[in-house]
Amino acid sequence: MNNFSIPGPFAIFKKKSASSGILKTQGLKSSNHLITAAFLISSLLFNACGIKKNQSTSEEGISISTELVNPALPGDNPDPSIIRVGNVFYATSTTNEWAPYFTIYKSTDLKNWTLINHVFPEGFKDMKNQWGENNFWASELAYDQKQNRIYAYYTAHNRETKGNPGLQCGTAWIDADRIETGKFTDNGPVIVEDACGAIDAFELQHNGKIYAFWKNDGNGCGQESWIWQQEINESRTKLLGQKRKVYTNSQPWETSLVEGACFFKLGEYVYSLYAVGGCCDAKCNYKTGIARTKDLSSGVWEKYGNNPIMVSNDKWNCPGHGTVVKTANNRLFMLYHAFNKNYDVFVGREGVIEELTVGKDGWPVLHNSTVANRPKSELDFTDHFEKDKNLNLAWQWPSKLQKPAMFFANGLNLAASADNHALGTFLGQYIKTVNFQIIAKITPTAANAGICLGGAIFKSKWPGELGGIGITASQDGLIVFDNFEGKYTILKQTKDNLSGSLELKMQISDNGKEITFFYKKEGAEWQRFHSTTFLASKYVPWGMGYRAGIVAKGNTSANGIFSRFEIRND
């Protein structure tokens, strides 16, 4: 489940020999040929299919602009996958240690995306025998037109199996007509590797057969990592025949592993884009390559001599692990993930989309120059709980916990607790920049209710061990707290008889290094309450971004009452 990056100089790494002779590599081009190819690719991007840069095309009601908006999926959306069903595109992404598991987004133009569902909306309760414990990685969608079903392949760690072998790939399905309102039916684990575990499953329907591909997680147990292939039955419940190796990291530029492989057909070839390197933290070195074969049964894959086709650049870091989709007029787009360099790793890996174009040498490549052009105003979020009857799909909770108890009556009534190392009950959602405000309007009760920036407990036992810093209010007064070191600590407290409505605000500034806390009583002005420096890099969870949200701490019989929540990006 590793990550992506964009253009820039790349290093040459020590070559690793393939353990079988099934690979052949295309010869490297001369520098002059590379410059010519780059020029041709650039020209194709502006003139593909005879379309000018600002012109749109329309096929079967789909209008795709060459001026795409990125990030396509803002916030922590790693390992994205995309399919087309008629006139509609659907995408999904890794949710890591957060529930609900595996997002489902919808778009009709590859530009505007709406969160419409999750594969498992209630978390582990929706999984067959509640088999998944954590590591909810790399969901991949596949559309079976004959069945009119959408299948989701996904990775989770089996709660019954210790260590790396517990990483297993399951499948779930839903009728395509019910993707927005229905629930997936889980088949449970289907791809199991006894030695090192299996991750990053992908499906390709080819020549009347259905093939599953996956990575054995060798880097997690001191062995080689390979992409594997095996036929799977129509119900996606059982692998058929014998598995075979596809490829491993064998070129000089390829580092310690290969993963995140996707497959698509173009002309006489089946192509595969894949990622190598470390995906998921500040030390990442992810890159993307491409390979192809004319015959899936041959086991012979040709890797592109000009790999990598996507590396880190001045805008994005560590790009990779995505999926290619073909539009109705046969244009190819890849949705993948990368870190926005302006945000370091605090936001997490965002979903980025760009078009692939076929170069003069016949290989489809990426232009490697995507910019972040989505307006910040589109990243703001407001939830008027007083108008809600159900919880907005954007809200998440720690993956190992059940969905928090709540009800809606004149606002969101969230059951308090001492969960999350005494932080309390937490509902959060993606942050999408590193300078922003978190604001909530509450009604003081016996519970300490307020707002919080959530990350990971320092030296946590697992990446989803939630820590946070925030401000709460109760009928007895205000508290600024911090439990990122594993112990609930009060940074500032004041005793006050609070009643009526109260607003709380956190201002995160200086790219996440400064947090200032405010409160505002009904009819009054904002009052500055406390300020602290914050070492954001210390508590960013591995493979994830921070969450901004609400918290209710106290006896389980008490509720925090919230009437409004906002995130405003500066």
mmCIF file with all atom_site columns, all heavy atoms in Angstrom, residues 449-461:
data_model
loop_
_atom_site.group_PDB
_atom_site.id
_atom_site.type_symbol
_atom_site.label_atom_id
_atom_site.label_alt_id
_atom_site.label_comp_id
_atom_site.label_asym_id
_atom_site.label_entity_id
_atom_site.label_seq_id
_atom_site.pdbx_PDB_ins_code
_atom_site.Cartn_x
_atom_site.Cartn_y
_atom_site.Cartn_z
_atom_site.occupancy
_atom_site.B_iso_or_equiv
_atom_site.pdbx_formal_charge
_atom_site.auth_seq_id
_atom_site.auth_comp_id
_atom_site.auth_asym_id
_atom_site.auth_atom_id
_atom_site.pdbx_PDB_model_num
ATOM 1  N N   . ALA A 1 449 ? -16.954 18.527 26.241 1.00 0.00 ? 449 ALA A N   1
ATOM 2  C CA  . ALA A 1 449 ? -17.176 18.422 24.806 1.00 0.00 ? 449 ALA A CA  1
ATOM 3  C C   . ALA A 1 449 ? -16.448 19.546 24.095 1.00 0.00 ? 449 ALA A C   1
ATOM 4  O O   . ALA A 1 449 ? -16.433 20.689 24.569 1.00 0.00 ? 449 ALA A O   1
ATOM 5  C CB  . ALA A 1 449 ? -18.667 18.476 24.494 1.00 0.00 ? 449 ALA A CB  1
ATOM 6  N N   . GLY A 1 450 ? -15.828 19.215 22.956 1.00 0.00 ? 450 GLY A N   1
ATOM 7  C CA  . GLY A 1 450 ? -15.110 20.262 22.247 1.00 0.00 ? 450 GLY A CA  1
ATOM 8  C C   . GLY A 1 450 ? -14.496 19.777 20.963 1.00 0.00 ? 450 GLY A C   1
ATOM 9  O O   . GLY A 1 450 ? -15.012 18.860 20.307 1.00 0.00 ? 450 GLY A O   1
ATOM 10 N N   . ILE A 1 451 ? -13.362 20.368 20.609 1.00 0.00 ? 451 ILE A N   1
ATOM 11 C CA  . ILE A 1 451 ? -12.704 20.108 19.336 1.00 0.00 ? 451 ILE A CA  1
ATOM 12 C C   . ILE A 1 451 ? -11.285 19.631 19.578 1.00 0.00 ? 451 ILE A C   1
ATOM 13 O O   . ILE A 1 451 ? -10.705 19.864 20.635 1.00 0.00 ? 451 ILE A O   1
ATOM 14 C CB  . ILE A 1 451 ? -12.709 21.358 18.441 1.00 0.00 ? 451 ILE A CB  1
ATOM 15 C CG1 . ILE A 1 451 ? -12.140 22.567 19.191 1.00 0.00 ? 451 ILE A CG1 1
ATOM 16 C CG2 . ILE A 1 451 ? -14.115 21.648 17.936 1.00 0.00 ? 451 ILE A CG2 1
ATOM 17 C CD1 . ILE A 1 451 ? -12.100 23.849 18.383 1.00 0.00 ? 451 ILE A CD1 1
ATOM 18 N N   . CYS A 1 452 ? -10.728 18.968 18.550 1.00 0.00 ? 452 CYS A N   1
ATOM 19 C CA  . CYS A 1 452 ? -9.462  18.280 18.760 1.00 0.00 ? 452 CYS A CA  1
ATOM 20 C C   . CYS A 1 452 ? -8.754  18.077 17.432 1.00 0.00 ? 452 CYS A C   1
ATOM 21 O O   . CYS A 1 452 ? -9.390  17.889 16.397 1.00 0.00 ? 452 CYS A O   1
ATOM 22 C CB  . CYS A 1 452 ? -9.759  16.933 19.419 1.00 0.00 ? 452 CYS A CB  1
ATOM 23 S SG  . CYS A 1 452 ? -8.350  15.845 19.668 1.00 0.00 ? 452 CYS A SG  1
ATOM 24 N N   . LEU A 1 453 ? -7.420  18.125 17.465 1.00 0.00 ? 453 LEU A N   1
ATOM 25 C CA  . LEU A 1 453 ? -6.588  17.705 16.355 1.00 0.00 ? 453 LEU A CA  1
ATOM 26 C C   . LEU A 1 453 ? -6.023  16.339 16.723 1.00 0.00 ? 453 LEU A C   1
ATOM 27 O O   . LEU A 1 453 ? -5.289  16.207 17.699 1.00 0.00 ? 453 LEU A O   1
ATOM 28 C CB  . LEU A 1 453 ? -5.466  18.705 16.105 1.00 0.00 ? 453 LEU A CB  1
ATOM 29 C CG  . LEU A 1 453 ? -4.524  18.375 14.941 1.00 0.00 ? 453 LEU A CG  1
ATOM 30 C CD1 . LEU A 1 453 ? -5.264  18.434 13.611 1.00 0.00 ? 453 LEU A CD1 1
ATOM 31 C CD2 . LEU A 1 453 ? -3.334  19.332 14.926 1.00 0.00 ? 453 LEU A CD2 1
ATOM 32 N N   . GLY A 1 454 ? -6.378  15.315 15.947 1.00 0.00 ? 454 GLY A N   1
ATOM 33 C CA  . GLY A 1 454 ? -6.009  13.953 16.286 1.00 0.00 ? 454 GLY A CA  1
ATOM 34 C C   . GLY A 1 454 ? -4.869  13.432 15.438 1.00 0.00 ? 454 GLY A C   1
ATOM 35 O O   . GLY A 1 454 ? -4.836  13.625 14.226 1.00 0.00 ? 454 GLY A O   1
ATOM 36 N N   . GLY A 1 455 ? -3.926  12.756 16.083 1.00 0.00 ? 455 GLY A N   1
ATOM 37 C CA  . GLY A 1 455 ? -2.799  12.121 15.409 1.00 0.00 ? 455 GLY A CA  1
ATOM 38 C C   . GLY A 1 455 ? -2.550  10.760 16.013 1.00 0.00 ? 455 GLY A C   1
ATOM 39 O O   . GLY A 1 455 ? -3.463  9.964  16.179 1.00 0.00 ? 455 GLY A O   1
ATOM 40 N N   . ALA A 1 456 ? -1.319  10.472 16.381 1.00 0.00 ? 456 ALA A N   1
ATOM 41 C CA  . ALA A 1 456 ? -0.981  9.175  16.967 1.00 0.00 ? 456 ALA A CA  1
ATOM 42 C C   . ALA A 1 456 ? -0.201  9.365  18.263 1.00 0.00 ? 456 ALA A C   1
ATOM 43 O O   . ALA A 1 456 ? 0.638   10.261 18.364 1.00 0.00 ? 456 ALA A O   1
ATOM 44 C CB  . ALA A 1 456 ? -0.157  8.334  15.991 1.00 0.00 ? 456 ALA A CB  1
ATOM 45 N N   . ILE A 1 457 ? -0.495  8.533  19.236 1.00 0.00 ? 457 ILE A N   1
ATOM 46 C CA  . ILE A 1 457 ? 0.274   8.524  20.471 1.00 0.00 ? 457 ILE A CA  1
ATOM 47 C C   . ILE A 1 457 ? 1.753   8.326  20.134 1.00 0.00 ? 457 ILE A C   1
ATOM 48 O O   . ILE A 1 457 ? 2.116   7.497  19.301 1.00 0.00 ? 457 ILE A O   1
ATOM 49 C CB  . ILE A 1 457 ? -0.205  7.379  21.391 1.00 0.00 ? 457 ILE A CB  1
ATOM 50 C CG1 . ILE A 1 457 ? -1.660  7.623  21.841 1.00 0.00 ? 457 ILE A CG1 1
ATOM 51 C CG2 . ILE A 1 457 ? 0.713   7.207  22.586 1.00 0.00 ? 457 ILE A CG2 1
ATOM 52 C CD1 . ILE A 1 457 ? -1.844  8.765  22.801 1.00 0.00 ? 457 ILE A CD1 1
ATOM 53 N N   . PHE A 1 458 ? 2.620   9.100  20.778 1.00 0.00 ? 458 PHE A N   1
ATOM 54 C CA  . PHE A 1 458 ? 4.059   8.968  20.539 1.00 0.00 ? 458 PHE A CA  1
ATOM 55 C C   . PHE A 1 458 ? 4.518   7.557  20.906 1.00 0.00 ? 458 PHE A C   1
ATOM 56 O O   . PHE A 1 458 ? 4.177   7.039  21.960 1.00 0.00 ? 458 PHE A O   1
ATOM 57 C CB  . PHE A 1 458 ? 4.826   10.002 21.371 1.00 0.00 ? 458 PHE A CB  1
ATOM 58 C CG  . PHE A 1 458 ? 6.305   10.016 21.119 1.00 0.00 ? 458 PHE A CG  1
ATOM 59 C CD1 . PHE A 1 458 ? 6.800   10.171 19.835 1.00 0.00 ? 458 PHE A CD1 1
ATOM 60 C CD2 . PHE A 1 458 ? 7.205   9.873  22.158 1.00 0.00 ? 458 PHE A CD2 1
ATOM 61 C CE1 . PHE A 1 458 ? 8.156   10.178 19.588 1.00 0.00 ? 458 PHE A CE1 1
ATOM 62 C CE2 . PHE A 1 458 ? 8.568   9.883  21.930 1.00 0.00 ? 458 PHE A CE2 1
ATOM 63 C CZ  . PHE A 1 458 ? 9.046   10.037 20.639 1.00 0.00 ? 458 PHE A CZ  1
ATOM 64 N N   . LYS A 1 459 ? 5.269   6.929  19.980 1.00 0.00 ? 459 LYS A N   1
ATOM 65 C CA  . LYS A 1 459 ? 5.725   5.546  20.137 1.00 0.00 ? 459 LYS A CA  1
ATOM 66 C C   . LYS A 1 459 ? 4.546   4.603  20.361 1.00 0.00 ? 459 LYS A C   1
ATOM 67 O O   . LYS A 1 459 ? 4.588   3.696  21.184 1.00 0.00 ? 459 LYS A O   1
ATOM 68 C CB  . LYS A 1 459 ? 6.737   5.425  21.278 1.00 0.00 ? 459 LYS A CB  1
ATOM 69 C CG  . LYS A 1 459 ? 8.034   6.190  21.025 1.00 0.00 ? 459 LYS A CG  1
ATOM 70 C CD  . LYS A 1 459 ? 9.041   5.978  22.143 1.00 0.00 ? 459 LYS A CD  1
ATOM 71 C CE  . LYS A 1 459 ? 10.344  6.714  21.845 1.00 0.00 ? 459 LYS A CE  1
ATOM 72 N NZ  . LYS A 1 459 ? 11.354  6.531  22.912 1.00 0.00 ? 459 LYS A NZ  1
ATOM 73 N N   . SER A 1 460 ? 3.480   4.824  19.598 1.00 0.00 ? 460 SER A N   1
ATOM 74 C CA  . SER A 1 460 ? 2.273   4.025  19.754 1.00 0.00 ? 460 SER A CA  1
ATOM 75 C C   . SER A 1 460 ? 2.514   2.577  19.351 1.00 0.00 ? 460 SER A C   1
ATOM 76 O O   . SER A 1 460 ? 3.395   2.265  18.549 1.00 0.00 ? 460 SER A O   1
ATOM 77 C CB  . SER A 1 460 ? 1.139   4.611  18.900 1.00 0.00 ? 460 SER A CB  1
ATOM 78 O OG  . SER A 1 460 ? 1.527   4.702  17.543 1.00 0.00 ? 460 SER A OG  1
ATOM 79 N N   . LYS A 1 461 ? 1.727   1.682  19.909 1.00 0.00 ? 461 LYS A N   1
ATOM 80 C CA  . LYS A 1 461 ? 1.855   0.253  19.646 1.00 0.00 ? 461 LYS A CA  1
ATOM 81 C C   . LYS A 1 461 ? 1.387   -0.083 18.232 1.00 0.00 ? 461 LYS A C   1
ATOM 82 O O   . LYS A 1 461 ? 1.823   -1.059 17.644 1.00 0.00 ? 461 LYS A O   1
ATOM 83 C CB  . LYS A 1 461 ? 1.046   -0.536 20.678 1.00 0.00 ? 461 LYS A CB  1
ATOM 84 C CG  . LYS A 1 461 ? 1.553   -0.379 22.102 1.00 0.00 ? 461 LYS A CG  1
ATOM 85 C CD  . LYS A 1 461 ? 0.674   -1.133 23.083 1.00 0.00 ? 461 LYS A CD  1
ATOM 86 C CE  . LYS A 1 461 ? 1.148   -0.934 24.520 1.00 0.00 ? 461 LYS A CE  1
ATOM 87 N NZ  . LYS A 1 461 ? 0.257   -1.626 25.494 1.00 0.00 ? 461 LYS A NZ  1
#
